[in-house]
Amino acid sequence: MKTSLRTAASLALATQLVGCSPESDRPNIVLFLIDDMGWADSSVAFGDDVYPRNLIFETPNMERLAAQGVTMSAAYVSSTSSPTRNSIMTGMNSARSRHTNYGAKFLDTPTDGGDKLEVLKDDVLVPTDWNYNGIDPTGTVPHAAHCTPFPQILKDNGYYTIHVGKGHWAPMGVPAASPLNMGFCVNVAGQIVGRANSYYGEDNYGNRSDIWSWHATHNMCEYYGTATHLSDALTLEALKTLDYPIDNNIPFYLNFCHHAVHTPIQGDKRFIDKYLAKGLDHQQAAYASLVEGIDKSLGELLDYLETKGVADNTLIIFLSDNGGDCIHPEKGGVKHTHNLPLRSGKGSVYEGGIRVPMIASWGSKSANGTKTTTPVVAEDIFATILDVAGVNDYMTVQTVDGQSFAELITGSSSMDYNRPILTHFPHQWRPEVNDDIDYMTALRCGDWKLVYRHRTLALELYNLATDLGEQHNLALSEPEQLRTLAEAMTAQLKAKGALLPTLRATGECIPYPDQLINQL
Amino acid sequence: MKTSLRTAASLALATQLVGCSPESDRPNIVLFLIDDMGWADSSVAFGDDVYPRNLIFETPNMERLAAQGVTMSAAYVSSTSSPTRNSIMTGMNSARSRHTNYGAKFLDTPTDGGDKLEVLKDDVLVPTDWNYNGIDPTGTVPHAAHCTPFPQILKDNGYYTIHVGKGHWAPMGVPAASPLNMGFCVNVAGQIVGRANSYYGEDNYGNRSDIWSWHATHNMCEYYGTATHLSDALTLEALKTLDYPIDNNIPFYLNFCHHAVHTPIQGDKRFIDKYLAKGLDHQQAAYASLVEGIDKSLGELLDYLETKGVADNTLIIFLSDNGGDCIHPEKGGVKHTHNLPLRSGKGSVYEGGIRVPMIASWGSKSANGTKTTTPVVAEDIFATILDVAGVNDYMTVQTVDGQSFAELITGSSSMDYNRPILTHFPHQWRPEVNDDIDYMTALRCGDWKLVYRHRTLALELYNLATDLGEQHNLALSEPEQLRTLAEAMTAQLKAKGALLPTLRATGECIPYPDQLINQL
């Protein structure tokens, strides 16, 4: 299937180059990226079972997308925002890009322990010298990963590339602060900040003269003072940008990145009442209403594409950038429970932090209504989108780790279920230490998952097939699996040039996991 | 010439509609709009003579454009910003659009006497109920002129339409606050504000957490903390947006609107020293450096178009949105002298307020190196651009007043030198009264100009051929000309549905000028 895909698209490209192309043959592509949405925060069940959280949320348009696409049950990302977004842009695993934690707004500002610009107090570990300045398409920015973003490759091949919403690839003052330097023709609202100042048009989305407005969402003046929720405003803007390419038969790529459902958890009044009626506390209901807001956005996108007659030729990939936030009190509920049945949440390499809702739909070409448990990972999106676009002949300055999962979408072939999926997070996310949200590395291979806790140098082994919640550490009872995964994790870390934190006591890096095994 | 132009472009359009077009035949168009630049603030002499101010400014790229285009010696606009910008967008004279003064940032906020939200104290005149909410493409906004903006028409005809820089068509909370609602595919930085908060990247263009940042320029994060002047940053962004249409052989329209040379008069350090060395005071030198900054921007645009091989097929129209500001102390120099030899400046219907630098260049098609004294006016740009683009078959909700001056650019025909040019400004611009900057209407017909002072109900008559500075009022000595122009002005005001202010003493509108004549 991969070959035939590439052949068809290469033909399309070749005809375009001689100046008269059947452009409509080239598929349109939409990445619909949600912020901080948990794996179970949908009426679509991404697991084998329906869990209690699935019964709370009402996401009819995700159900609609799942019915006309493939539900990806084991979609992995980094545990915080910009590492995932940068893996998507570059095809690099974040261990390779060395952009392993979320990026600050300010240049040269590591976010170890949060972005309060305070010195992190840690008696055990010294953070790595990571690429806190994000990614960089120019190769001129220190502490940033030099890359060729895939939208640039798409644009160079005639695609009309559009960014709408949250960017968060790099801090102020560097090229990757602007979508126009990342290969986008059009930018609506994309910039450096990782969250909205406010979701409320009545608040000018936080852009007011009487409050701190530096952080506000750009390009939204037309909605200032109106009752338009930011999720709705971004949707309206996104659809506007599509008229030109569709009306002129130009293939497009839309990078549609909602700020929702990130904090601030400001309810969407279109939907909050039904969740209050279900007995949720106000903040839980507010969160659920944000989820339904992005579901409505998805539905409006689907409606628009159908009305325009391009739905069947448009690939849509829906996913979240990291697991659900489980420690911010404003989300309501009990800490560390927000991704049940998964363990922990945002900032953690346990499943709750890195396994996210994902659906891929490509009109009649996708294996509609099916679910796959084959693991896929954020950096795969780079390769998948270029594959689907039929762009094969390209150069990148970076080594691309991701692989196309186009065959999983079309159902024409399978991918390796046992492919190693690495999540490397050598950081303390928040100012306060949270046991499960700390310096760690994880590797999934098939059903098995190894967790390496840097602070304690402990290895934990889980069988996800029987223990999705990672409650039963099998490190002692499955020594061969432990060794196999420790060696695989070591190989992955070395192959990708991962940075390891330093033990303050010795001044040396933490050992690789195979070294720990060999010391047993 | 108009016929052949239209035929060629209609052919191009027809071939595009069957899906395989020689797109490159359709000309690209750039409007290069400066803010508050005076008629004599250039080393290009727009008058018959070289005036002292022409010797101060160094604008080699304007000279270059003039050598490869037509210098428009008598280009007229409104006396403040958004009326001109809206006349360009709509083709309506501002007397017809009833958007006769500059627009505020806030909805439903007349700017009579400034935008300080204070009640204007005036014993003589009551302001009109004008369209202070600017223009509106939807027909839903009260106190706004319903219109079909020409970029929408261009876009509907396949043009790739780009807005960069200052917008200022309408306040927050309405559609025209966003370029995407005005027919633009792409927007960089265009929004509601009429001036930059700061020109300095080191200041984040005024978008900082420690100052009032509500007003800052959007989409500029990549330059925050750098030494990039805003004029330079906008240029870099504008050129980026052109790669896609040029590389894909799509005709483009670029609406490139600098914030310079409006207040704040913050010097451009690339150029200021030479003007200090000429003996200018610091603020005069700072202003001159802002002018040279936009000249450099023009040069970079010309270089880019040449490098890309599209210069010969690109129409460039350079102009300012109103005359030079002559009353803000931060510009340096002596009040009311900043447009000499012209009288007064921004906010005034005397020549200093409404006559601006303008050059039109269209590669080898323009009458290069020539100068025309035939009057043209802002609303003509609407018709001219559609004419040059070959778009003839379009509908507008508004009556278009402007006429195409394409023949003036190509030198293939002349326009009517005696065409009446109306400037209607029934407002007090600033909180303080300035004698020459007040409620007035002007009409130019050929060499003659009538000025109607609403406050005193006085008519003044000038012969611009012999008295460019409007120093010799011939109202008493040329009664027939006075009557002719008074009747012409009356006819214009009535035909366009102009609103007249009310005399507080009588509660009635001021008389039409022909009524004043008849009372003599």
Side-chain angles (χ1 to χ4, degrees):
Chain A
M1 183 59 195
K2 181 181 274 183
T3 308
S4 64
L5 264 177
R6 288 184 172 173
T7 306
S10 297
L11 271 174
L13 182 59
T15 51
Q16 188 224 17
L17 292 176
V18 299
C20 182
S21 165
E23 288 289 354
S24 60
D25 292 349
R26 306 178 75 186
N28 308 304
I29 301 166
V30 178
L31 183 70
F32 196 97
L33 186 59
I34 311 304
D35 199 348
D36 284 6
M37 180 182 181
W39 186 69
D41 297 348
S42 171
S43 52
V44 172
F46 287 90
D48 292 336
D49 301 313
V50 174
Y51 301 106
R53 287 186 77 83
N54 296 131
L55 301 175
I56 294 172
F57 296 88
E58 298 186 21
T59 57
N61 292 295
M62 289 182 68
E63 295 176 39
R64 175 180 169 191
L65 191 69
Q68 60 193 49
V70 180
T71 300
M72 319 291 274
S73 177
Y76 289 95
V77 294
S78 296
S79 66
T80 58
S81 170
S82 53
T84 294
R85 291 163 195 270
N86 288 343
S87 287
I88 291 171
M89 282 291 132
T90 66
M92 285 189 277
N93 184 279
S94 60
R96 186 185 301 281
S97 72
R98 298 181 171 179
H99 181 68
T100 38
N101 196 8
Y102 75 97
K105 296 175 287 292
F106 300 101
L107 196 66
D108 294 334
T109 306
T111 52
D112 296 279
D115 54 1
K116 305 298 182 193
L117 306 182
E118 297 157 0
V119 177
L120 185 68
K121 302 285 188 294
D122 194 317
D123 295 336
V124 180
L125 292 167
V126 180
T128 68
D129 189 34
W130 58 292
N131 280 334
Y132 37 76
N133 287 333
I135 58 177
D136 173 35
T138 66
T140 60
V141 179
H143 286 100
H146 188 195
C147 67
T148 309
F150 80 83
Q152 185 66 54
I153 298 168
L154 286 177
K155 184 183 170 196
D156 290 345
N157 282 273
Y159 266 79
Y160 187 69
T161 50
I162 303 160
H163 175 83
V164 176
K166 174 176 168 177
H168 201 203
W169 305 301
M172 65 173 64
V174 303
S178 168
L180 296 193
N181 297 321
M182 297 286 284
F184 289 102
C185 303
V186 176
N187 169 39
V188 178
Q191 48 132 321
I192 58 173
V193 302
R195 49 164 266 176
N197 221 17
S198 166
Y199 286 108
Y200 293 151
E202 296 92 333
D203 268 347
N204 299 356
Y205 310 116
N207 200 3
R208 288 165 32 178
S209 55
D210 58 337
I211 60 170
W212 182 69
S213 60
W214 179 86
H215 201 269
T217 308
H218 288 177
N219 302 123
M220 292 290 129
C221 301
E222 80 176 272
Y223 305 105
Y224 287 1
T226 74
T228 314
H229 195 275
L230 182 57
S231 296
D232 201 20
L234 290 173
T235 307
L236 291 165
E237 294 306 290
L239 300 189
K240 276 179 212 167
T241 67
L242 295 179
D243 283 347
Y244 183 79
I246 293 174
D247 293 348
N248 290 279
N249 213 20
I250 298 169
F252 65 82
Y253 170 67
L254 171 64
N255 201 59
F256 187 7
C257 302
H258 274 288
H259 277 288
V261 295
H262 197 294
T263 55
I265 307 299
Q266 296 173 315
D268 189 323
K269 62 176 161 297
R270 295 174 295 176
F271 311 109
I272 193 168
D273 288 346
K274 72 166 75 167
Y275 296 102
L276 291 168
K278 290 184 183 195
L280 299 184
D281 70 36
H282 184 273
Q283 285 311 104
Q284 289 176 305
Y287 175 77
S289 75
L290 285 177
V291 171
E292 191 160 344
I294 59 90
D295 184 81
K296 182 168 190 292
S297 166
L298 175 65
E300 287 167 352
L301 173 68
L302 297 178
D303 291 345
Y304 172 89
L305 296 173
E306 287 173 10
T307 301
K308 284 286 196 175
V310 299
D312 194 57
N313 197 30
T314 301
L315 169 69
I316 301 173
I317 300 176
F318 175 108
L319 84 161
S320 175
D321 68 340
N322 48 247
D325 185 341
C326 68
I327 59 174
H328 276 84
E330 68 181 287
K331 262 188 89 173
V334 178
K335 263 189 172 188
H336 304 296
T337 68
H338 296 79
N339 297 290
L340 289 174
L342 306 186
R343 179 167 172 178
S344 197
K346 181 176 180 180
S348 173
V349 304
Y350 291 106
E351 297 288 290
I354 63 173
R355 189 167 179 157
V356 291
M358 179 168 170
I359 304 167
S361 166
W362 188 7
S364 53
K365 298 176 196 67
S366 41
N368 293 343
T370 66
K371 184 186 288 188
T372 179
T373 58
T374 301
V376 296
V377 62
E379 54 264 31
D380 291 342
I381 291 172
F382 180 106
T384 303
I385 286 176
L386 291 174
D387 187 14
V388 166
V391 178
N392 313 295
D393 186 17
Y394 57 86
M395 302 281 286
T396 60
V397 295
Q398 75 276 22
T399 298
V400 173
D401 294 303
Q403 298 178 19
S404 172
F405 54 78
E407 297 95 332
L408 279 185
I409 301 172
T410 57
S412 54
S413 176
S414 59
M415 286 180 84
D416 179 8
Y417 180 78
N418 297 308
R419 179 169 61 126
I421 304 290
L422 180 72
T423 311
H424 184 53
F425 188 71
H427 302 281
Q428 181 179 321
W429 178 41
R430 304 299 305 163
E432 71 283 3
V433 171
N434 291 275
D435 180 51
D436 282 355
I437 301 172
D438 200 3
Y439 287 83
M440 294 192 215
T441 304
L443 188 78
R444 173 171 174 171
C445 293
D447 290 337
W448 293 96
K449 179 171 172 183
L450 181 71
V451 172
Y452 178 14
R453 287 180 170 263
H454 305 174
R455 187 175 297 280
T456 58
L457 305 183
L459 295 173
E460 299 171 1
L461 183 71
Y462 300 100
N463 185 325
L464 296 176
T466 56
D467 178 22
L468 184 63
E470 299 169 285
Q471 296 297 312
H472 307 289
N473 178 4
L474 305 177
L476 294 177
S477 60
E478 296 278 1
E480 282 313 304
Q481 282 296 347
L482 182 69
R483 175 177 294 277
T484 300
L485 265 80
E487 288 172 350
M489 182 185 281
T490 300
Q492 284 287 321
L493 289 170
K494 287 182 176 174
K496 292 181 167 61
L499 294 173
L500 301 178
T502 302
L503 291 164
R504 196 173 291 279
T506 65
E508 294 186 357
C509 287
I510 61 167
Y512 285 105
D514 67 341
Q515 294 174 284
L516 289 173
I517 296 285
N518 292 332
Q519 288 165 7
L520 290 180
Chain B
M1 181 62 197
K2 179 182 273 184
T3 306
S4 64
L5 262 176
R6 289 183 169 174
T7 306
S10 297
L11 271 174
L13 183 59
T15 51
Q16 189 223 15
L17 292 176
V18 299
C20 181
S21 165
E23 288 290 355
S24 60
D25 291 350
R26 305 178 76 185
N28 307 304
I29 301 165
V30 178
L31 182 70
F32 196 98
L33 186 59
I34 312 304
D35 200 348
D36 283 6
M37 181 181 180
W39 185 69
D41 297 347
S42 170
S43 53
V44 172
F46 287 89
D48 292 336
D49 299 315
V50 173
Y51 300 107
R53 286 186 79 82
N54 296 130
L55 301 174
I56 294 172
F57 295 89
E58 298 187 19
T59 56
N61 293 294
M62 290 183 67
E63 294 176 38
R64 177 180 167 193
L65 190 69
Q68 61 192 47
V70 179
T71 300
M72 319 290 274
S73 178
Y76 289 94
V77 292
S78 295
S79 66
T80 60
S81 172
S82 54
T84 294
R85 292 164 194 269
N86 288 344
S87 287
I88 292 172
M89 282 291 132
T90 66
M92 283 188 278
N93 184 279
S94 60
R96 185 184 301 280
S97 72
R98 298 180 171 180
H99 182 68
T100 37
N101 195 9
Y102 75 98
K105 298 175 285 293
F106 302 101
L107 196 65
D108 294 333
T109 307
T111 51
D112 296 277
D115 53 2
K116 306 299 181 191
L117 307 181
E118 296 157 1
V119 176
L120 185 68
K121 303 284 188 294
D122 194 316
D123 295 336
V124 180
L125 293 167
V126 180
T128 68
D129 190 33
W130 57 292
N131 279 334
Y132 36 76
N133 287 333
I135 58 177
D136 172 36
T138 67
T140 61
V141 179
H143 286 101
H146 189 196
C147 67
T148 308
F150 79 84
Q152 185 67 54
I153 299 168
L154 287 176
K155 184 184 171 197
D156 290 344
N157 282 274
Y159 265 79
Y160 188 69
T161 48
I162 304 160
H163 175 82
V164 176
K166 174 176 169 178
H168 201 203
W169 305 301
M172 64 172 63
V174 302
S178 167
L180 297 193
N181 297 322
M182 297 287 285
F184 289 103
C185 303
V186 175
N187 169 38
V188 178
Q191 47 133 323
I192 57 174
V193 302
R195 49 163 266 176
N197 222 16
S198 166
Y199 286 108
Y200 293 151
E202 296 92 333
D203 268 348
N204 299 354
Y205 309 116
N207 201 2
R208 289 164 33 176
S209 54
D210 59 338
I211 59 170
W212 183 68
S213 60
W214 178 86
H215 200 269
T217 308
H218 289 177
N219 303 122
M220 292 289 128
C221 300
E222 79 177 275
Y223 305 106
Y224 287 0
T226 73
T228 313
H229 195 275
L230 182 56
S231 296
D232 201 18
L234 290 173
T235 307
L236 291 164
E237 295 306 289
L239 300 189
K240 277 178 210 167
T241 67
L242 295 180
D243 283 348
Y244 183 79
I246 293 175
D247 293 350
N248 290 279
N249 213 20
I250 298 169
F252 66 81
Y253 170 67
L254 171 64
N255 201 57
F256 188 7
C257 303
H258 274 289
H259 277 289
V261 297
H262 197 293
T263 54
I265 307 300
Q266 296 172 315
D268 189 324
K269 60 175 161 297
R270 297 174 294 177
F271 310 111
I272 194 169
D273 288 347
K274 72 166 76 166
Y275 296 101
L276 291 169
K278 289 184 183 193
L280 298 184
D281 69 38
H282 184 274
Q283 285 311 102
Q284 288 176 305
Y287 176 76
S289 75
L290 286 176
V291 171
E292 191 160 346
I294 58 89
D295 183 80
K296 181 168 190 294
S297 166
L298 175 65
E300 286 165 355
L301 172 69
L302 297 178
D303 291 346
Y304 172 89
L305 296 173
E306 286 174 10
T307 301
K308 284 286 196 176
V310 298
D312 194 55
N313 197 31
T314 301
L315 168 68
I316 301 173
I317 299 176
F318 175 110
L319 84 161
S320 176
D321 69 339
N322 49 247
D325 184 342
C326 68
I327 60 174
H328 276 84
E330 67 182 289
K331 263 188 89 176
V334 178
K335 263 189 171 186
H336 305 295
T337 68
H338 296 79
N339 296 291
L340 289 175
L342 305 185
R343 179 167 172 177
S344 196
K346 181 176 180 179
S348 173
V349 303
Y350 290 105
E351 297 286 290
I354 61 172
R355 189 167 180 158
V356 291
M358 179 169 172
I359 304 167
S361 166
W362 189 6
S364 53
K365 297 176 197 67
S366 41
N368 293 343
T370 65
K371 184 186 287 187
T372 179
T373 56
T374 302
V376 296
V377 62
E379 54 264 31
D380 290 343
I381 291 172
F382 180 106
T384 303
I385 286 176
L386 291 174
D387 186 14
V388 166
V391 179
N392 312 296
D393 186 16
Y394 57 85
M395 301 282 286
T396 60
V397 294
Q398 74 276 22
T399 298
V400 173
D401 294 302
Q403 299 178 19
S404 171
F405 54 79
E407 298 95 333
L408 278 185
I409 301 172
T410 57
S412 54
S413 178
S414 58
M415 288 179 83
D416 179 8
Y417 180 78
N418 296 309
R419 178 168 63 124
I421 304 290
L422 179 72
T423 310
H424 184 54
F425 188 72
H427 302 280
Q428 181 179 320
W429 177 40
R430 305 300 303 163
E432 72 284 1
V433 171
N434 291 274
D435 180 50
D436 282 355
I437 301 172
D438 200 4
Y439 288 83
M440 294 192 216
T441 304
L443 187 78
R444 176 172 171 170
C445 293
D447 291 336
W448 293 96
K449 180 172 171 183
L450 181 72
V451 173
Y452 177 16
R453 289 179 170 261
H454 306 173
R455 188 174 297 280
T456 57
L457 304 183
L459 295 173
E460 299 171 1
L461 182 70
Y462 300 100
N463 185 326
L464 297 175
T466 56
D467 178 24
L468 184 64
E470 299 168 283
Q471 296 299 311
H472 306 289
N473 177 3
L474 306 177
L476 294 178
S477 59
E478 297 277 359
E480 283 312 305
Q481 282 296 345
L482 182 69
R483 175 177 295 276
T484 300
L485 265 80
E487 289 172 351
M489 181 185 280
T490 300
Q492 284 287 320
L493 289 170
K494 289 181 174 175
K496 293 180 167 62
L499 295 173
L500 301 179
T502 302
L503 290 164
R504 195 173 292 279
T506 65
E508 295 187 358
C509 286
I510 61 167
Y512 286 105
D514 66 340
Q515 294 175 283
L516 288 174
I517 294 285
N518 292 332
Q519 288 166 6
L520 290 179

